[in-house]
Amino acid sequence: MSGITHKNPAPLVSIGIPTYNGGNRIETALNSILSQDYEHVEVIISDNGSQDHTERVCREWAARDSRVKYFRHNENRGVSPNFEFALQQATGKYFMWMADDDEVVSDILHRYVDFLEDHPDYGLVSGQINYWKDGKMRYRETNLSFEGRSGILRAIKYYWKVKEGALIYGMMRREWGQKVRFLPVLGSDWHFVAGMALQGKIKNLDFVGYNKHAGGVSRDFRNYARVFGEKPIWGILPYVKMALDAFRLVVYSEKIYRTVFAPVRLIAALASAIGILVHYYLWIKPRTFGGMLLRSMKIKTPTERKLNTL
């Protein structure tokens, strides 16, 4: 394991892959994990009652590689319970989720482990995240570090800044992650990362660590709302729902926030909800509209020009 520089034995890393009907795609994810130079891993596949050939594929992998542990549920229990099950089965010092159609970058695990071993006040580390759709890279998510001393301010800043949710696929301290619920609501990934920010600092490293593929559950918000059992209106107004949930979770619903003084919690809840709405309606949405306008005139957007230089 060439990347490990510490004198102590390499800590175990648990990687949870929640899947449903992922038989045609999960092997790419498994290959990207098990070909890493960091070998002290366990891969926990939580199969949500797949109806395709997922079971056969996963059992074959588990039979030939002892690092793979396959769990199959008799029925689809929903996205959130499937994610939580993978985390609860983990035994490693560090944990990360991975979508069944995504890939981790080669040799990234030892970089994450080295960082967390050297920085005990950080609870989550991630590389930059590439977003792919239809075989083309559409966006690179960067600059999502939250390193202030105040946990509640880190959580607020995250809500003000987050655009996509793939920071949840970074590596975390397992015991810290198990204190946060993966909720059955739209934006569950956002709320989980905010809970991690409350507990410790978050580092977004300056190199790519993860390739996220848009498709399946993540293809659009209407599908997200349906999968999570939300009302159809929230598929049209997802950021309003996420703002309402952020307020509710911070001010009274989530146990992890109750260590914060109640008046501060109320202010933080308002700030978090406002941050989500301001960031989307006054920043993301105008930029999206401007991008559409530029493309209609066959002019490359700033994001497209930046991607051409990568």
Side-chain angles (χ1 to χ4, degrees), residues 208-247:
V208 175
Y210 196 86
N211 286 298
K212 178 69 183 166
H213 295 276
V217 173
S218 62
R219 64 180 179 265
D220 58 54
F221 277 115
R222 286 181 173 83
N223 189 57
Y224 259 130
R226 180 186 62 79
V227 168
F228 281 103
E230 301 274 23
K231 296 177 180 178
I233 185 64
W234 299 131
I236 301 171
L237 298 171
Y239 292 91
V240 174
K241 179 61 163 61
M242 288 188 279
L244 291 171
D245 282 337
F247 178 86

Side-chain angles (χ1 to χ4, degrees), residues 94-157:
Y94 300 118
F95 175 83
M96 58 187 295
W97 278 299
M98 186 174 177
D100 63 9
D101 57 346
D102 292 346
E103 304 157 75
V104 285
V105 170
S106 176
D107 302 336
I108 197 66
L109 297 185
H110 76 75
R111 296 191 184 195
Y112 289 168
V113 170
D114 281 351
F115 181 88
L116 290 172
E117 289 284 280
D118 289 339
H119 299 85
D121 53 339
Y122 284 73
L124 176 66
V125 62
S126 169
Q128 298 174 356
I129 302 153
N130 286 341
Y131 289 83
W132 297 79
K133 187 174 183 180
D134 300 326
K136 295 182 179 179
M137 196 175 84
R138 304 293 185 177
Y139 172 65
R140 177 172 291 176
E141 192 167 39
T142 64
N143 196 27
L144 280 175
S145 293
F146 304 93
E147 302 174 277
R149 296 180 62 183
S150 167
I152 195 65
L153 285 180
R154 289 193 299 265
I156 294 170
K157 288 179 180 178

